[in-house]
Amino acid sequence: MNLTLKVWRQNGPDDKGHMEIYPVKDINPDMSFLEMMDVLNEELISEGKDPIAFDHDCREGICGMCSMFINGEPHGPERRTTTCQLHMRSFKDGDTIVVEPWRSAAFPVIKDLAVDRAAFDRIQQAGGYVSVNTSGNTIDANAIPVPKQNADKAFNAATCIGCGACVAACKNSSAMLFVSAKVSQYALLPQGKVEAKERVRKMVNQMDLEGFGNCTNTGACEAECPVGISLENIARMNREYLSASLSSAE
Amino acid sequence: MKLDANIPSGSLGQKWSSHKSSIRLVSPANKRNIDVVVVGTGLAGSSAAASLAEMGYNVKAFCFQDSPRRAHSIAAQGGINAAKNYQNDGDSVYRLFYDTIKGGDYRSREANVYRLAEVSANIIDQCVAQGVPFARDYGGLLDNRSFGGVQVSRTFYAKGQTGQQLLLGAYSALNRQISKGNVKMYNRHEMMDVVVEGGKARGIIARNLTTGEIERHGAHAVLLCTGGYGNVFFLSTNAMGSNGSAAWKAHRRGAMFANPCFTQIHPTCIPQSGEYQSKLTLMSESLRNDGRIWVPKDKKDAEAIREGKLKPTDLPEEKRDYYLERRYPAFGNLVPRDVASRAAKERCDEGFGVNATGQAVYLDFSSAIERYGKTEANQLGITNPSKEKIIELGEKVVASKYGNLFEMYDKIKDVNPYKSPMMIYPAVHYTMGGLWVDYNLMTNVPGMYALGEANFSDHGANRLGASALMQGLADGYFVAPYTVGDYLADEIRTGAIDTNSEAFEKAEADVVERIDNLINSNGTRSVDSFHRALGKIMWDKCGMARNAEGLKEAMTEIKALREEFWKDVKVPGRKDMYNPELDKAGRVADFLELGELMCLDALTREESCGGHFREEYQTEEGEAMRDDENFAFVSCWKYNDEPSKAELVKEELTFENVELKTRSYK
Amino acid sequence: MAKSALLGSSLAKKYWMALTGLFLSIFLVVHLAGNLVLLGGQAMAEDFNAYAEFMTTFPLIKIASYLLYASILFHAIDGILLTIQNRKARPVKYHYENPSANSGWASRNMAFLGTVMLLFIVGHMATFWWRMKFGEMPIDAVGQKDLYTVVATYFTTASTAWLHVLLYVVAMIAIGFHLWHGFQSAFQTMGVNHPKYTPVIKKVGYVFSVVIPALFAVIPIYMFITQ
């Protein structure tokens, strides 16, 4: 396959950035998208040019580090697929592929396609945990039965890989899907209920402070989420926050 | 030099509890004045950082990824073992201990392994309390599955994402401490060196990967929780960033490297499809419960398949060689990982491989689909079902068991594994070797600890499935937080570590010099080209089967490659901004030394055990020959100018509670 | 109250959007019920005028109408604030986007549709509401303000009647799209999402967003055609 890549180049956070065109030749359709980028980078290095910086790590779709906005969609055209699991057979010979970083005020560009997602960490630090010490002297694991249905729902919410595709897809750069997944996981489990109200207030507050936009319920986040986190979680968070706001003394 | 493992006295079952109660404590007022550096934020690192911070120490945690949650523990699929005996199938702490020792082919330390089994149950309690959503049954209680051929069901799991859920649990505990200000988190920071002063670990030199800034961080104890070094093979199931640099730097500063040649090669990975390939993907071991492994009986058929002239489904039953069932009738397709891997390699080396590269075997589900289909038809009361109906029903059953894995395979290979057999090949997956630690998880450098995959302690020569997660969390939550205190009790009068000392100056200067050498090397070859070349040497000569001649060759070749690297590597970009190529160059430079030590270790271990198979030491049927008489020891290597000159120190292994037996799967 | 809520969290702003939006949807039904009388033509003109009189004078309705004006303003201002915030959240735009792959057109253009509607409402109120309240009105046979004639003139005999009808229909289309997304979105925002009921809510919303604006639009079209 021969392709034309249009890639966002930005030499550091303060650079204005621009799109640059690169032809890539002899691409094997069995390559992953990132392997294609590797090939391009090898070529750039051999030509004495600066390779394209991008984030990636596990390359099996679970670490959440890869983050490319490909042909107008986060992680590219395939559903339920991270960039690292996207293969070149999803494209046609002769295609032009546009590659950009996640764009959001809360995710400043570090270089080229790599962005800083520390905002997500800070939201989690605001309350994404159960306040229990790690002594191991907790009660026996089976002393707290959890209805299978809730356990499964909590698990589904907990599978969020924190990649930020939801923010990238949302026309408002809203982080609601990400935040609601964590809020839901704990709200559904008895262990997390105790501090549920406090948690949702703190996490939403942090989310707002980070400069994410608002949720318009377009559903783009759910459609683009590589692990299929459901909008149901956003509704649950709306509920949790409403009840927390109504019941709080503030 | 003599190594003391500091194993507490007393009976096996009493060691940990009596040690724990006699260990020295640090008072809360003093803890506030003690700094601890934790490098790596996988299961071991996150849990250790969270626990130590909770106890009151000032913790600084470092990870090279953009967030602690990205650590490669996240990719573990199968599950975590714990001796809970919830299934009432006779499991016990002793049984878990015994299985682990035996699975490790009797090359691990009894006391450490027993402690691991002992605290395993606490891990589950802890994780559930933290809100980790383990799989549950309809009664709302925790579900288990069996794993890795043991006779009990002791594996707790969260679908195929157990590692993810456990890591996010540890990450949440870490976040709680970060929000309290007890942990200062350094994302996108890489440890460049450990600072050793007066014989003790006193801190680290770190590099901010986004700005290139070099930083000094003093600490009274340094915990290396940096994972394994499987990426020395270039292609492995590890993440792209996984590296052995922290352990290697520690080794160069005096820490012993133990059993470096013990590498686990996992039999069921998706085979390499081309030279461009960057990593290999694991398919859960559970597939071997239902899949049958085969290659064509006739070399001509294999050739035809490789050339694409013949489809595997066209090959009749009698022309297939189910070689595991043939060689190991008792265990068949369920032989342990090392045995299955070697058998696949043997067939492919003989020319029976089926991928275009000749490096793959089939994992076929058609019998399982048919079998399940018939059972299902019976249960549904369908008499004389058609073949199509049977297959349809069978595929549904298989989908319910392995659906996500089949989907993953389809995504990567673009082949429907329900209709055509999967192709698999072994790949490097885990390294049992690592920094030598004593019972307290302290390396031979006082104040320097190694936890999780980074140490060598619990898995011997081969790790059992679902035990890596257990060890990471055991070390981080329940072992190190206690044992570190014992050492720190002597440090309460030390005061803040002076990072302007000579040792820090020197360490930083070394780091800066090395980075300058890399960035200014102005060569012609990319870092990856060296990494690939190293990987090929390692895989061919220090992979699934090794021999003295090959290992000697490998050592010469690696040395030459290393010299070539420093002469001809090309690192683009600048050192004072985000530059992934530069980061990679530093890691590959370390692999180029570590690889040689692995070969040396493999060369001196003149026996076959677990993941280490020496062709000279096998039975006539090609089975591993362990030599307990001469090799029941841990090979500990002391750095000495260069890898080939490393000095071997032996820690003899004594087995007081188990009898050493030969593994047989015939 | 309005101020603190508007300055509150992003979620609070959304709750208000949803609540005012749903309230305005109810108003649409009431308004439509009255308008449908217009289809009775001259024969029912007095009934329509009586209804209009009742709506502008009955105290309870008056209170409701102030609530309505407040809601419209609130919904609009809140929407503007949210939009400003949303714009700020992505200062550098994508070079190329393919949003139709993941979301519906209406859901992405609520602000635009809302602006169209706001302009319409201003014009609509100037034409009818202002005149009814403060302007000069013809008087019908029983002495009521003859709103029917004002409406009929506007949509049938005025020289630009065709334009009035056209603008009205365009506005109704905008309302339709706005409701298409807005109706079910309001429930989601208020936390109502249920595997069983959400599909029903969505269907009701779609029917509502087609039927209500269509019936509104039919009236001037009918009057124009049958003039």
Side-chain angles (χ1 to χ4, degrees):
Chain A
M1 293 167 85
N2 295 322
L3 302 158
T4 307
L5 286 188
K6 282 172 93 171
V7 185
W8 180 259
R9 299 306 307 264
Q10 183 174 340
N11 199 21
D14 302 324
D15 185 25
K16 216 169 146 273
H18 64 283
M19 298 299 289
E20 198 149 326
I21 296 172
Y22 300 98
V24 279
K25 291 197 183 68
D26 301 324
I27 293 301
N28 186 321
D30 286 334
M31 277 183 188
S32 74
F33 198 86
L34 295 184
E35 284 164 353
M36 184 273 296
M37 294 295 289
D38 290 343
V39 169
L40 172 58
N41 271 347
E42 283 263 329
E43 211 161 286
L44 290 176
I45 293 169
S46 75
E47 288 167 9
K49 290 180 187 152
D50 194 26
I52 301 160
F54 59 89
D55 272 332
H56 64 106
D57 200 22
C58 79
R59 295 206 179 188
E60 46 189 279
I62 190 79
C63 77
M65 193 131 167
C66 61
S67 47
M68 291 186 192
F69 199 81
I70 301 164
N71 276 352
E73 289 177 74
H75 297 305
E78 301 291 330
R79 290 286 164 263
R80 296 282 197 114
T81 302
T82 54
T83 302
C84 63
Q85 294 286 286
L86 177 67
H87 283 74
M88 297 313 291
R89 63 182 90 92
S90 300
F91 300 91
K92 287 193 303 288
D93 186 35
D95 274 0
T96 296
I97 306 175
V98 187
V99 191
E100 297 177 74
W102 286 176
R103 295 197 190 277
S104 163
F107 290 166
V109 171
I110 292 171
K111 185 174 190 286
D112 301 334
L113 304 173
V115 299
D116 180 3
R117 284 167 288 190
F120 270 13
D121 279 335
R122 289 189 291 268
I123 293 173
Q124 299 282 24
Q125 286 155 19
Y129 48 78
V130 173
S131 296
V132 57
N133 282 352
T134 61
S135 61
N137 299 331
T138 49
I139 49 170
D140 185 85
N142 260 350
I144 327 164
V146 182
K148 183 169 166 57
Q149 200 195 0
N150 287 357
D152 287 350
K153 272 189 186 164
F155 170 80
N156 286 339
T159 55
C160 167
I161 58 173
C163 65
C166 44
V167 174
C170 177
K171 73 180 189 70
N172 305 339
S173 289
S174 166
M176 286 285 278
L177 195 67
F178 168 78
V179 181
S180 69
K182 198 42 79 186
V183 166
S184 283
Q185 178 197 341
Y186 292 131
L188 284 159
L189 296 171
Q191 301 92 310
K193 282 233 166 78
V194 182
E195 45 192 338
K197 292 199 162 84
E198 189 69 7
R199 175 181 307 116
V200 70
R201 260 202 303 272
K202 283 179 173 172
M203 290 182 79
V204 167
N205 183 41
Q206 188 64 36
M207 172 180 87
D208 288 351
L209 284 177
E210 297 290 349
F212 292 103
N214 306 285
C215 179
T216 310
N217 301 322
T218 66
C221 51
E222 182 189 51
E224 299 289 0
C225 175
V227 292
I229 302 293
S230 159
L231 286 182
E232 198 191 313
N233 294 303
I234 295 187
R236 187 176 293 105
M237 180 160 89
N238 285 333
R239 237 167 22 234
E240 290 284 323
Y241 189 80
L242 189 59
S243 98
S245 307
L246 293 177
S247 69
S248 75
E250 237 166 314
Chain B
M1 180 168 182
K2 182 134 173 49
L3 284 171
D4 185 356
N6 290 316
I7 296 167
S9 55
S11 69
L12 193 60
Q14 291 305 310
K15 284 183 198 292
W16 178 234
S17 51
S18 62
H19 185 56
K20 243 190 341 180
S21 38
S22 63
I23 233 165
R24 288 175 300 166
L25 298 174
V26 181
S27 81
N30 286 327
K31 278 181 188 152
R32 283 195 283 275
N33 301 322
I34 287 183
D35 302 314
V36 180
V37 156
V38 178
V39 186
T41 56
L43 287 180
S46 285
S47 56
S51 303
L52 288 163
E54 186 185 297
M55 294 169 105
Y57 297 106
N58 296 316
V59 178
K60 289 180 176 182
F62 295 80
C63 70
F64 70 81
Q65 299 95 335
D66 77 331
S67 161
R69 65 179 294 157
R70 312 273 187 229
H72 198 54
S73 305
I74 203 141
Q77 298 172 352
I80 176 165
N81 289 331
K84 273 283 195 188
N85 194 26
Y86 279 161
Q87 305 304 324
N88 195 21
D89 51 8
D91 196 15
S92 65
V93 168
Y94 183 84
R95 212 174 274 276
L96 175 54
F97 152 76
Y98 180 78
D99 287 345
T100 308
I101 287 275
K102 179 186 168 208
D105 222 356
Y106 306 97
R107 290 294 173 265
S108 45
R109 218 186 261 152
E110 274 189 344
N112 284 54
V113 176
Y114 193 86
R115 176 179 61 192
L116 175 65
E118 215 176 333
V119 301
S120 66
N122 292 29
I123 298 174
I124 304 303
D125 297 342
Q126 180 64 43
C127 292
V128 166
Q130 282 168 354
V132 170
F134 283 118
R136 286 173 186 269
D137 58 26
Y138 285 97
L141 301 180
L142 293 162
D143 196 18
N144 291 113
R145 59 182 168 202
S146 62
F147 214 85
V150 294
Q151 289 155 310
V152 293
S153 246
R154 64 160 77 99
T155 305
F156 293 79
Y157 66 100
K159 282 212 179 137
Q161 283 131 288
T162 319
Q164 181 197 29
Q165 294 311 316
L166 292 173
L167 181 63
L168 294 182
Y171 167 69
S172 75
L174 178 64
N175 280 335
R176 178 166 170 246
Q177 297 305 325
I178 294 173
S179 75
K180 288 181 170 183
N182 299 338
V183 175
K184 176 118 180 58
M185 186 66 222
Y186 294 83
N187 295 347
R188 292 194 195 266
H189 276 67
E190 183 158 334
M191 187 200 100
M192 305 305 286
D193 209 347
V194 197
V195 181
V196 178
E197 203 174 2
K200 289 176 173 177
R202 284 303 191 203
I204 64 166
I205 305 292
R207 180 167 175 266
N208 178 333
L209 299 181
T210 46
T211 63
E213 240 169 287
I214 306 293
E215 301 167 0
R216 301 176 189 182
H217 297 277
H220 300 87
V222 175
L223 276 61
L224 303 178
C225 314
T226 50
Y229 46 88
N231 267 348
V232 70
F233 291 87
F234 185 67
L235 285 180
S236 79
T237 66
N238 283 7
M240 301 300 286
S242 300
N243 66 81
S245 287
W248 190 253
K249 295 287 165 36
H251 175 57
R252 291 189 58 145
R253 292 281 174 199
M256 295 275 193
F257 214 111
N259 296 335
C261 81
F262 286 167
T263 314
Q264 182 166 79
I265 296 181
H266 198 291
T268 53
C269 298
I270 299 178
Q272 190 181 358
S273 58
E275 275 304 306
Y276 53 80
Q277 190 125 359
S278 59
K279 82 153 266 160
L280 298 168
T281 305
L282 178 85
M283 303 292 284
S284 171
E285 189 171 15
S286 59
L287 288 173
R288 284 197 286 142
N289 285 322
D290 281 313
R292 296 177 71 195
I293 295 172
W294 65 273
V295 291
K297 253 186 200 154
D298 194 333
K299 244 180 231 184
K300 283 211 182 85
D301 288 337
E303 262 163 40
I305 287 176
R306 283 202 290 272
E307 286 160 13
K309 289 179 196 155
L310 187 68
K311 280 194 211 132
T313 41
D314 294 339
L315 211 63
E317 202 59 26
E318 64 274 11
K319 290 194 165 180
R320 300 176 177 192
D321 175 18
Y322 295 92
Y323 59 86
L324 284 178
E325 295 169 27
R326 171 169 59 79
R327 282 179 70 179
Y328 308 101
F331 275 68
N333 295 298
L334 288 173
V335 290
R337 289 176 177 178
D338 50 342
V339 179
S341 294
R342 274 197 300 277
K345 176 181 158 54
E346 188 272 337
R347 283 292 84 187
C348 293
D349 288 352
E350 290 298 310
F352 294 95
V354 292
N355 205 3
T357 57
Q359 303 279 300
V361 298
Y362 285 125
L363 178 64
D364 199 327
F365 289 84
S366 54
S367 321
I369 287 173
E370 214 180 305
R371 191 177 74 240
Y372 284 127
K374 277 183 188 157
T375 318
E376 196 70 2
N378 274 339
Q379 279 175 352
L380 293 171
I382 306 171
T383 44
N384 289 327
S386 65
K387 197 164 166 49
E388 287 72 38
K389 187 73 192 167
I390 289 175
I391 287 173
E392 186 200 317
L393 292 170
E395 281 178 0
K396 266 191 200 143
V397 178
V398 169
S400 71
K401 293 184 134 189
Y402 312 110
N404 60 336
L405 295 169
F406 275 48
E407 222 171 87
M408 186 160 88
Y409 183 86
D410 198 351
K411 209 174 260 178
I412 293 173
K413 299 299 281 184
D414 199 25
V415 171
N416 180 350
Y418 293 100
K419 303 294 176 199
S420 183
M422 279 185 188
M423 285 191 287
I424 53 159
Y425 199 66
V428 175
H429 174 56
Y430 187 90
T431 50
M432 281 74 70
L435 292 174
W436 181 87
V437 290
D438 66 4
Y439 188 74
N440 293 319
L441 303 183
M442 187 156 80
T443 65
N444 57 307
V445 178
M448 188 200 293
Y449 291 77
L451 280 63
E453 193 181 347
N455 73 29
F456 88 106
S457 73
D458 295 339
H459 305 297
N462 178 50
R463 181 178 62 75
L464 283 184
S467 282
L469 302 182
M470 173 171 69
Q471 189 219 339
L473 288 181
D475 288 0
Y477 279 138
F478 305 129
V479 180
Y482 282 101
T483 57
V484 171
D486 194 36
Y487 167 78
L488 290 174
D490 285 334
E491 293 291 328
I492 53 174
R493 280 174 208 90
T494 309
I497 303 295
D498 174 21
T499 56
N500 292 317
S501 68
E502 204 181 313
F504 271 94
E505 294 282 352
K506 171 86 173 56
E508 179 174 327
D510 288 352
V511 167
V512 171
E513 190 194 337
R514 196 170 126 109
I515 290 173
D516 286 340
N517 283 343
L518 287 171
I519 205 95
N520 297 328
S521 67
N522 253 332
T524 57
R525 286 176 65 185
S526 71
V527 176
D528 274 351
S529 75
F530 284 100
H531 197 177
R532 264 198 198 92
L534 172 67
K536 188 163 167 34
I537 300 171
M538 292 301 293
W539 182 245
D540 290 345
K541 294 174 177 163
C542 193
M544 274 184 280
R546 301 141 176 197
N547 60 54
E549 196 190 343
L551 289 165
K552 279 179 202 152
E553 278 166 24
M555 286 179 70
T556 323
E557 288 169 29
I558 294 170
K559 190 169 183 219
L561 188 66
R562 187 167 65 236
E563 277 159 14
E564 180 76 11
F565 175 89
W566 285 105
K567 258 189 259 156
D568 200 24
V569 71
K570 180 168 188 167
V571 182
R574 291 169 18 196
K575 66 170 182 175
D576 60 350
M577 67 181 295
Y578 187 58
N579 187 349
E581 282 296 314
L582 177 60
D583 311 341
K584 204 159 65 181
R587 296 168 193 163
V588 171
D590 290 331
F591 279 141
L592 282 164
E593 296 179 12
L594 171 60
E596 196 179 338
L597 181 67
M598 288 169 72
C599 295
L600 176 64
D601 185 44
L603 184 66
T604 51
R605 185 165 283 278
E606 295 172 330
E607 63 161 350
S608 295
C609 65
H612 170 67
F613 187 80
R614 281 285 297 269
E615 286 165 353
E616 304 94 318
Y617 307 99
Q618 55 180 317
T619 63
E620 274 171 27
E621 297 97 41
E623 304 305 332
M625 260 167 61
R626 208 176 62 219
D627 181 354
D628 293 331
E629 189 88 11
N630 298 305
F631 288 94
F633 61 77
V634 179
S635 304
C636 311
W637 297 93
K638 188 175 182 305
Y639 186 75
N640 207 354
D641 283 338
E642 59 175 293
S644 57
K645 292 184 189 150
E647 179 196 331
L648 176 64
V649 180
K650 296 174 187 176
E651 182 203 334
E652 295 296 336
L653 291 169
T654 45
F655 293 90
E656 291 162 354
N657 299 277
V658 295
E659 186 194 342
L660 276 60
K661 288 181 185 157
T662 307
R663 298 187 306 167
S664 170
Y665 302 96
K666 292 261 169 204
Chain C
M1 173 208 81
K3 204 171 173 230
S4 71
L6 277 180
L7 292 176
S9 72
S10 57
L11 264 62
K13 287 199 196 78
K14 292 295 299 183
Y15 295 145
W16 286 115
M17 274 319 260
L19 288 174
T20 50
L22 287 173
F23 177 68
L24 293 173
S25 303
I26 297 169
F27 160 71
L28 282 180
V29 178
V30 178
H31 189 338
L32 178 65
N35 284 16
L36 285 173
V37 179
L38 286 166
L39 289 174
Q42 192 65 49
M44 291 183 73
E46 282 166 18
D47 299 314
F48 179 74
N49 290 340
Y51 159 78
E53 177 117 356
F54 173 76
M55 293 300 276
T56 41
T57 51
F58 190 68
L60 261 180
I61 298 283
K62 266 195 143 168
I63 295 170
S65 66
Y66 287 121
L67 196 57
L68 171 71
Y69 308 144
S71 288
I72 294 174
L73 273 179
F74 203 107
H75 196 78
I77 293 170
D78 202 10
I80 291 166
L81 288 178
L82 284 164
T83 306
I84 291 171
Q85 210 173 11
N86 293 343
R87 291 271 160 93
K88 265 205 288 196
R90 178 164 296 146
V92 183
K93 302 277 168 259
Y94 286 109
H95 185 79
Y96 171 69
E97 274 181 283
N98 182 19
S100 56
N102 56 38
S103 52
W105 182 85
S107 73
R108 299 194 306 272
N109 290 282
M110 293 300 277
F112 165 72
L113 294 166
T115 310
V116 171
M117 286 160 65
L118 190 62
L119 291 175
F120 166 76
I121 291 168
V122 171
H124 187 70
M125 288 181 78
T127 313
F128 301 117
W129 178 86
W130 180 267
R131 202 165 160 201
M132 181 81 184
K133 284 219 135 171
F134 309 110
E136 273 194 25
M137 292 286 289
I139 304 295
D140 69 3
V142 290
Q144 305 172 113
K145 288 184 179 178
D146 191 359
L147 186 61
Y148 177 83
T149 305
V150 172
V151 173
T153 311
Y154 186 75
F155 285 124
T156 59
T157 54
S159 59
T160 49
W162 64 273
L163 183 65
H164 299 158
V165 175
L166 184 72
L167 287 176
Y168 193 90
V169 171
V170 168
M172 287 312 116
I173 293 173
I175 291 184
F177 276 108
H178 199 81
L179 285 170
W180 183 269
H181 174 70
F183 189 90
Q184 48 97 5
S185 173
F187 286 89
Q188 165 83 5
T189 298
M190 296 311 296
V192 182
N193 185 318
H194 189 277
K196 240 190 228 159
Y197 307 122
T198 296
V200 177
I201 290 171
K202 282 193 176 172
K203 270 184 205 131
V204 171
Y206 296 148
V207 171
F208 189 89
S209 63
V210 172
V211 171
I212 302 286
L215 287 176
F216 268 114
V218 158
I219 297 164
I221 293 171
Y222 175 80
M223 291 173 89
F224 185 74
I225 293 169
T226 59
Q227 59 183 287

